[in-house]
Amino acid sequence: MSPQWSDAVRTKVSDISLARIGREVPCFETIRAPGGVLALLAALCIFCTVCGCLGASPSPSGGGITPVDLPEPPGTSTLSDALAELDLLEAEGGLNLTGTTTHQVLGTGVGPDGQAATWALGLRDGEEIRWVTFGITGWKEISLRAPLPAEEVNLTGVLAPEELLADETLSAAMTELGADTVDLALAEGVYTVTVRSDAGMETLAFRADTGEVVV
């Protein structure tokens, strides 16, 4: 089944034929428990920074005094726009998306408008698990040894991240902690949202289809 975010975004996530990077990170036992989600998001952030997904700038070379140029903020994108880019790549022949299903969606640095620094999709291709990320450099496949839930994500039947972030409970948590962005994970019909700042951290869960708080 081809996951679709809207009628205008006919994105299907299937067999991604990209060159593998060949770098691996430690395997996590589970991604459904809050601790597992946090570990997976942390690994994604580290991996994307190293590989350039978040647009990390190189260190200046050479000796002497050199001007210090702060890196520009990485570009951000909604999940809908990211999936539209994936659909475009398929249409142009840049990716072969046949036979793969989506079982996990991750977003890091997601603002109230749904714009995120990085999106990641956990894909199942038969017995094989594959991960692709979307950031400032576009879509790329990464090597990440993390398990996936058995249930497929139905992107046509869930709230968009920007709709979820309008929830009063979530807005209150962000205000209380002074956080401008959150990290989120979508799997098995549940959004797990992590709000963090120097003041602390709180993890909340919501039904992906209605936004109802999961106790």
Side-chain angles (χ1 to χ4, degrees):
M1 180 181 297
S2 301
Q4 296 180 336
W5 192 254
S6 65
D7 292 337
V9 183
R10 301 171 295 98
T11 305
K12 59 182 177 179
V13 181
S14 31
D15 182 26
I16 310 295
S17 57
L18 291 174
R20 290 186 173 276
I21 298 175
R23 182 187 181 100
E24 295 183 349
V25 297
C27 178
F28 301 103
E29 293 297 328
T30 178
I31 55 178
R32 285 178 289 181
V37 171
L38 293 177
L40 186 54
L41 286 167
L44 177 64
C45 289
I46 294 172
F47 198 101
C48 287
T49 300
V50 172
C51 296
C53 301
L54 300 182
S57 59
S59 301
S61 58
I65 299 176
T66 57
V68 177
D69 295 324
L70 295 177
E72 296 182 0
T76 59
S77 174
T78 64
L79 182 57
S80 295
D81 289 342
L83 293 177
E85 289 290 336
L86 190 60
D87 192 48
L88 181 61
L89 282 178
E90 178 193 9
E92 294 178 344
L95 292 174
N96 179 15
L97 309 177
T98 322
T100 298
T101 53
T102 306
H103 291 253
Q104 183 92 16
V105 179
L106 301 175
T108 60
V110 188
D113 58 357
Q115 300 274 342
T118 302
W119 293 105
L121 302 178
L123 314 174
R124 188 175 293 279
D125 183 6
E127 297 299 319
E128 184 180 5
I129 293 175
R130 308 173 81 164
W131 288 88
V132 291
T133 63
F134 181 82
I136 194 170
T137 58
W139 282 101
K140 60 176 59 179
E141 185 170 3
I142 66 173
S143 178
L144 184 63
R145 293 183 59 196
L148 290 176
E151 183 178 334
E152 182 180 351
V153 173
N154 178 17
L155 291 176
T156 63
V158 299
L159 296 174
E162 53 267 33
E163 295 177 297
L164 178 72
L165 289 169
D167 180 85
E168 293 181 359
T169 302
L170 189 49
S171 298
M174 294 178 68
T175 300
E176 181 179 354
L177 292 176
D180 297 325
T181 63
V182 302
D183 296 332
L184 63 81
L186 170 61
E188 298 184 313
V190 174
Y191 271 112
T192 302
V193 183
T194 302
V195 186
R196 74 180 80 212
S197 70
D198 293 339
M201 182 180 72
E202 184 174 358
T203 299
L204 303 168
F206 303 84
R207 281 189 53 174
D209 56 349
T210 64
E212 179 183 355
V213 176
V214 177
V215 180

